[in-house]
Amino acid sequence: MSFINNHAMMLLEKREKELECIYSISDLFDMHIPLKSLLRGIVNRIPSACSCSEVAAARITLDDEIYQTTNYEDTPWKMSVEITVHGKVRGYLKLVYLKEHPVQDVGPFLKEEKKLMDAIVSRLGKVLERRSVEDALLDSEKRYRVIFESSPLGIFIDKNGIITHCNRSFLKIFGLPREDIIGAEITDFVNDEKLEKVLFRSDQEIMPYYETEYSVRIAGKPVYLRSYYVPHRSSKTTLEGGVCLIADITKSKQSEDALQQQKELLTSTFNALQDLIVVVDRELNVVTSNWKSEKFITPEEREFHPHCYECFMHRDEPCDPCHVKEVFSTGNVTETEYTSPVDGKTREYRVFPVLGKNNDIVMAVEHIRDITERKSTETALQKSTEELARAYEELQSLDKLKDEFLSNLRHELNTPLTTIRGYSELLQEGMFGQLNPEQENAINKVVNKSKRLHSLLDSLLFASTSQGGRVKYNFEKIMLSDSVLSAMGEMSEHAKEKSISLNFNLPTDAILTKADADYLPRVFVNLVENAIKFTPREGTINLSAFRENGNLHAIVEDDGIGIAEHDLPDLFQKFHQIDSSSTRNYGGNGLGLYISKVIIEDHGGKIWIESEEGVGTKVHVTLPAIDQ
């Protein structure tokens, strides 16, 4: 009887330990504490339910994380139970005795202890399943919040059209605080009567989707909005609420309007082009055209996309080779001309490839231009060019004849002129006896006129030969002062006749240049002669020379009638006279300055004129200087 009582007492104590363990762990489950704290609490409480709790230890392994009592050791006296979550083993609950223990129902443990372990693991699995679902729901809600707040606009409304939620984009569009929006009717923001009918129509008429666009004024500015409404139905298709999205499409609307305007402008421009533009596909069908050839194709025929060679070249099949086919095969721009046997007009065909996304040729654009008039003009121009070429050849022949004539004329005139001049000079010098004053004056005029005639013949011949670059120079080292003084001496008598003072200012040191000793003095003779011609009686002419920047610079200056500014650019042209009266009043043939310019430039120098009407004229001459 005593043994029975003792065994009952032991069972009672064992049952009390189990119940205390269960109650203690249940409290942990009900507290909703963090998972790690829950697992540590379970590990620390389980050993108390064992029959020999003083030598018991526990460990939980979950998702490779370990939670155990401080005295835990792996021993041979153990029991392990799998922790299963949603049918998948995620860990183990292991219970051990730290000292040797006799074999019981389940190893060293009793079957009641095994049942307790199974119950704890089962409850733990359900808790883990619930928490997994809760974490998934929280994660889903977070993602939803991110999507909702980051979307262009989102509004949740109930079945009566009352706004229950809205995001930042909606607040930004309408410029209102959230408290002014939540609880308001959706029709306060969506200006569409049809949406009101959608919200309040019968269940059978619920639309699966509704979209609308409209304009409103927000803060005094016009804004374009697009609304999307998706109704939410219950299982019985009853309208429970819905989701409405509103997007600000002002910029896209403006872009669409601008694109439409540009399209209309391009279409108008395309149709206004005088040339014919044709878009052709790979089968040579006309995709579109501004159809300038209306007389050859009717509007009805255009609708069937005829072949380009039928419409514009009036052929039954493509020519061989075909310029359009060549574009599709080579990708190069092609050109050709074709004269139509129908209307006799010549047209120019230029074809350009149109590339697709993969750089393959998908279409071709053919530019067709009527060049009938241009071809006629080109033919006429070619004919005129040929006629001009023949006329030019004739002029060259005449020019050659002129040069030969002048050369012969100079030769023929030089012989008697030389004789006249020679005998006149002999008479002037008194070789045939002393002359009275009247005779001396007459012979002086003959000598001067013969010299002048000789100079004129030389000028005409030079003007003729210089045009073909046939003047032959004998360049040698000469002093510039020699040419200047030679000219002054030759023109001194002429100056005396008008009581004009000839002054010169030459440097004391020698100024050398490479020049022709016959032609260079003629330059200064021409310049001084011009100065005398256009200077009134008792005027002054100054001739100076100096060295400047490696050049010789000579200036012939007079105080004569001067030259108007607008006449200066033409002074060096052949046979140029300022006006017809100049020839009558002052004489001359208009060759002096032209000859001077040719000679100076052939010597590598420059010549130019400065003048003021009524004040006087300066003629500048520069030549390359050389060392002695």
Side-chain angles (χ1 to χ4, degrees), residues 110 279 319 324 384 391 397 413 415 420 441 493 528 530 549 562 615 619:
L110 299 172
V279 181
C319 54
V324 181
S384 299
S397 299
L413 292 178
T415 301
I420 295 171
N441 182 47
E493 290 298 325
V528 173
N530 270 354
N549 298 327
V615 176
V619 183

Side-chain angles (χ1 to χ4, degrees), residues 112-358:
E112 288 81 4
E113 293 170 342
K114 175 65 168 59
K115 290 180 180 179
L116 177 62
M117 294 269 287
D118 290 339
I120 293 173
V121 168
S122 175
R123 179 70 183 277
L124 177 59
K126 292 179 180 178
V127 170
L128 291 176
E129 288 178 355
R130 187 187 74 240
R131 293 199 175 192
S132 176
V133 172
E134 290 175 351
D135 290 342
L137 289 174
L138 287 174
D139 186 57
S140 176
E141 184 179 1
K142 288 179 182 178
R143 288 198 299 270
Y144 158 74
R145 288 293 178 185
V146 171
I147 295 172
F148 178 69
E149 290 296 338
S150 302
S151 66
L153 191 68
I155 308 169
F156 282 77
I157 58 175
D158 63 14
K159 64 181 180 180
N160 295 319
I162 304 300
I163 299 176
T164 57
H165 297 80
C166 67
N167 63 359
R168 290 191 297 268
S169 298
F170 180 78
L171 302 178
K172 183 178 179 181
I173 288 177
F174 290 98
L176 295 173
R178 194 179 299 271
E179 55 268 20
D180 291 347
I181 295 175
I182 303 301
E185 294 184 2
I186 185 61
T187 52
D188 292 342
F189 302 97
V190 179
N191 184 21
D192 188 13
E193 295 180 358
K194 193 171 183 180
L195 178 60
E196 295 185 41
K197 296 179 181 179
V198 172
L199 293 173
F200 299 108
R201 62 179 51 180
S202 63
D203 295 346
Q204 289 77 15
E205 297 178 313
I206 296 176
M207 298 176 64
Y209 174 79
Y210 178 68
E211 177 183 350
T212 184
E213 291 183 8
Y214 55 94
S215 63
V216 296
R217 295 191 70 84
I218 300 176
K221 295 182 180 180
V223 177
Y224 287 93
L225 300 178
R226 178 181 291 134
S227 297
Y228 307 87
Y229 175 68
V230 181
H232 171 61
R233 302 176 182 82
S234 65
S235 58
K236 297 180 181 180
T237 69
T238 303
L239 182 63
E240 296 292 338
V243 178
C244 185
L245 300 177
I246 297 180
D248 185 349
I249 60 169
T250 304
K251 290 185 178 180
S252 61
K253 189 71 173 177
Q254 292 172 347
S255 299
E256 288 177 5
D257 293 343
L259 186 62
Q260 181 63 29
Q261 292 177 0
Q262 186 178 17
K263 181 179 178 181
E264 293 175 356
L265 177 61
L266 289 174
T267 302
S268 300
T269 303
F270 180 65
N271 292 328
L273 291 174
Q274 294 302 310
D275 295 335
L276 178 62
I277 307 296
V278 184
V279 181
V280 181
D281 62 16
R282 299 188 69 89
E283 285 70 38
L284 306 187
N285 294 315
V286 177
V287 178
T288 185
S289 172
N290 57 350
W291 297 113
K292 295 298 180 182
S293 59
E294 295 180 357
K295 64 172 67 175
F296 301 115
I297 181 169
T298 65
E300 292 76 16
E301 291 174 327
R302 300 173 192 169
E303 299 298 327
F304 295 98
H305 301 291
H307 292 105
C308 59
Y309 52 82
E310 296 173 338
C311 301
F312 310 114
M313 301 189 79
H314 315 297
R315 301 174 65 95
D316 296 331
E317 59 184 17
C319 54
D320 188 21
C322 177
H323 60 286
V324 181
K325 285 184 177 180
E326 185 180 346
V327 169
F328 284 109
S329 61
T330 65
N332 298 325
V333 177
T334 62
E335 297 184 17
T336 189
E337 292 181 5
Y338 179 74
T339 301
S340 171
V342 177
D343 57 7
K345 291 186 177 181
T346 302
R347 293 178 175 86
E348 178 185 66
Y349 297 81
R350 301 183 67 193
V351 188
F352 305 86
V354 178
L355 302 180
K357 293 182 179 179
N358 300 323

Side-chain angles (χ1 to χ4, degrees), residues 10-61:
M10 290 177 61
L11 290 176
L12 182 60
E13 291 177 358
K14 182 71 175 71
R15 186 59 179 164
E16 287 178 353
K17 288 181 178 180
E18 292 177 358
L19 291 173
E20 288 178 357
C21 180
I22 290 173
Y23 292 149
S24 176
I25 292 176
S26 295
D27 289 340
L28 289 176
F29 287 139
D30 295 336
M31 292 173 64
H32 299 286
I33 61 177
L35 181 60
K36 291 183 178 181
S37 299
L38 173 64
L39 296 176
R40 291 191 187 99
I42 293 173
V43 165
N44 291 326
R45 285 167 173 76
I46 285 179
S48 64
C50 297
S51 57
C52 297
S53 59
E54 65 276 5
V55 291
R59 170 190 279 182
I60 291 178
T61 303

